[in-house]
């Protein structure tokens, strides 16, 4: 599934809110990270019961896969606790409603429950692949809904003139439109509160796309919206080591600053990324190693910068490479000791991976990498911010800087 195919799918549908009168086309819990994991939970559930089966949001909520991952990752109470009911109903229900409005799922009322059926697995898998994919889908989806609902001009005017006055004007237009054309107006004062929650999820995604100011705490944001501000669990996306001196060990830095990493989140995302790369490598590269000089099947997925030391890039595909068992245990890790990294082989893996990413982005029909994410991996892995200043698509510049990092 490519970005152009997603745009084509969206363009084939009419999302005009004035016609559908559905306020739940997006909601408070519809953040990229939540959409990503709920899509993943749906795909996993459908694989266990069959793609033709119907399901409810509670089927996904109480699935073994969701219980194992969502609770720890998002720091909620147990999913079977009575106090969790309302929160988890929103957590799973709101993204599922969005998927249904978008046409990825069908929705049918049966008694008091809404039942769903899978309509477009390819796009749902694209969303489940990683948060950046979910954000890509969400950006195109929001833009299409606003366009079909004749709201694009109002948002463009705010992005063109960024003042508190223009912000208030846009906000009131959005609130009035939503109350007029959906049943959210029947909720009285709560209707405006819900409009505010929806407005935040709409404006900030577009503000991030255009590198503009959005909304924060009911007012125009002081600065341009950043990636972490779009997320449900913002701590997972902050630059943990931005101020770490180079001569201070990462674990010591965390301890001295009382920073606790959500290990469950990074473990889940890392395992998911490994699985995605393995499937991609099996399908499009016949399971061959991404490193030369070994004809065995690449059954191991290796973190070039180790996950234990660099958890925040452990789930980036740009930090993963498919290796044979021999390459992984005898070359990447000296004497099979997975707590150690062979720096010479790490260097070789990086150089080869840069070429693989370049080829994928320039020539492949199915693109799974991101040039910006490659720079982020190198910035974090080397603790060198200058990687972020490399011009777009300057792969030779990247390799030159990598070489400099290994000169000692």
């Amino acid at each position: 599934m490519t970005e152009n195919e997603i745009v084509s799918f969206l363009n084939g549908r009419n999302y005009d809110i004035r016609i559908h009168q559905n306020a739940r086309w997006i909601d408070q819990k519809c953040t990229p990270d939540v959409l990503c994991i709920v899509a993943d939970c749906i795909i996993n559930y459908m694989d266990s019961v069959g793609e033709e089966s119907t399901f409810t949001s509670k089927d996904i909520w109480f699935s073994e896969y969701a219980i194992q991952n969502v609770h720890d990752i998002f720091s909620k109470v147990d999913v079977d606790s009575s106090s969790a009911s309302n929160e988890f109903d929103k957590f799973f229900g709101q993204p599922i409603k969005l998927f249904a409005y978008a046409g990825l799922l069908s929705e049918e009322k049966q008694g008091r429950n809404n039942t769903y059926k899978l309509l477009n697995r390819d796009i749902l898998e694209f969303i489940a692949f990683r948060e950046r994919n979910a954000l890509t889908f969400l950006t195109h989806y929001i833009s299409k809904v606003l366009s079909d609902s004749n709201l694009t001009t109002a948002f463009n005017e705010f992005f063109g003139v960024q003042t508190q006055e223009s912000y208030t004007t846009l906000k009131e237009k959005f609130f009035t439109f939503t109350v007029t054309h959906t049943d959210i107006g029947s909720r009285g004062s709560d209707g405006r509160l819900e409009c505010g929650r929806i407005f935040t999820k709409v404006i900030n995604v577009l503000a991030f796309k255009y590198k503009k100011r959005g909304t924060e705490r009911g007012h125009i944001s002081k600065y341009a919206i950043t990636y972490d501000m779009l997320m449900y669990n913002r701590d997972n996306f902050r630059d943990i080591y931005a101020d770490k001196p180079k001569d201070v060990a990462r674990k010591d830095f965390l301890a001295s600053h009382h920073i606790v990493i959500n290990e469950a989140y990074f473990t889940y995302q890392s395992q998911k990324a490994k699985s995605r790369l393995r499937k991609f490598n099996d399908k499009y590269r016949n399971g061959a190693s991404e490193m030369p000089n070994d004809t065995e099947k690449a059954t191991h997925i290796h973190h070039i910068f180790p996950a234990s030391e660099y958890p925040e890039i452990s789930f980036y595909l740009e930090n993963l490479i498919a290796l044979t068992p021999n390459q992984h245990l005898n070359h990447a890790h000296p004497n099979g000791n997975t707590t150690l990294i062979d720096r010479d082989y790490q260097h070789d893996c990086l150089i080869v991976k840069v070429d693989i990413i370049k080829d994928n982005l320039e020539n492949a029909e199915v693109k799974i990498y991101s040039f910006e994410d490659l720079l982020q991996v190198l910035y974090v892995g080397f603790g060198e911010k200058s990687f972020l200043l490399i011009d777009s698509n300057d792969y030779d510049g990247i390799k030159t800087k990598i070489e400099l990092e290994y000169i000692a």
Side-chain angles (χ1 to χ4, degrees), residues 211-404:
K211 298 180 173 60
K212 297 287 187 176
R213 297 161 72 186
T215 184
E216 191 170 20
R217 298 178 181 176
H219 301 281
I220 186 172
S221 62
K222 188 175 181 179
Y223 304 105
I225 297 299
T226 55
Y227 184 70
D228 66 295
M229 295 173 71
L230 304 178
M231 302 299 169
Y232 182 76
N233 251 12
R234 291 181 60 173
D235 282 351
N236 289 337
F237 299 91
R238 62 195 173 118
D239 194 347
I240 300 171
Y241 300 97
D243 300 319
K244 184 188 79 65
K246 273 202 165 186
D247 59 347
V248 176
R250 291 163 68 85
K251 290 184 178 180
D252 293 339
F253 180 81
L254 292 180
S256 63
H257 287 73
H258 307 289
I259 298 172
V260 178
I261 290 179
N262 188 341
E263 293 184 9
Y265 169 80
F266 291 117
T267 298
Y268 160 75
Q269 294 290 9
S270 175
Q271 292 303 319
K272 186 173 72 168
K274 283 185 172 184
S275 175
R276 303 293 186 192
L277 181 58
R278 183 178 289 108
K279 289 178 181 178
F280 178 86
N281 196 58
D282 287 346
K283 183 174 182 179
Y284 294 100
R285 301 185 71 256
N286 295 317
S289 171
E290 293 186 286
M291 290 293 285
N293 303 323
D294 197 326
T295 58
E296 284 188 65
K297 186 170 183 178
T299 57
H300 288 207
I301 303 298
H302 170 63
H303 286 100
I304 302 175
F305 294 104
S308 58
E309 191 172 353
Y310 303 91
E312 69 273 37
I313 55 171
S314 62
F315 57 92
Y316 281 65
L317 295 177
E318 295 76 11
N319 186 39
L320 297 175
I321 189 164
L323 302 177
T324 69
N326 175 59
Q327 289 171 329
H328 189 210
L329 299 177
N330 291 324
H331 296 285
H333 299 293
N335 301 315
N337 186 343
T338 56
T339 64
L340 299 178
I341 290 288
D342 185 298
R343 268 181 63 83
D344 290 338
Y345 201 74
Q346 182 186 58
H347 160 271
D348 295 346
C349 285
L350 284 173
I351 296 299
V352 169
K353 193 70 185 185
V354 169
D355 286 335
I356 289 171
I357 292 169
K358 179 178 186 290
D359 182 65
N360 177 260
L361 292 176
E362 292 183 352
N363 303 313
E365 181 178 350
V366 179
K367 304 182 191 304
I368 65 170
Y369 297 109
S370 159
F371 184 84
E372 292 73 21
D373 286 350
L374 171 60
L375 297 185
Q376 180 69 16
V377 164
L378 296 170
Y379 153 54
V380 173
F382 290 118
E384 180 53 66
K385 290 186 178 180
S386 60
F387 274 102
L388 300 178
L389 302 178
I390 294 176
D391 291 337
S392 182
N393 302 321
D394 183 6
Y395 295 97
D396 288 337
I398 289 176
K399 287 194 279 189
T400 298
K401 283 194 65 63
I402 290 174
E403 295 291 349
L404 292 173

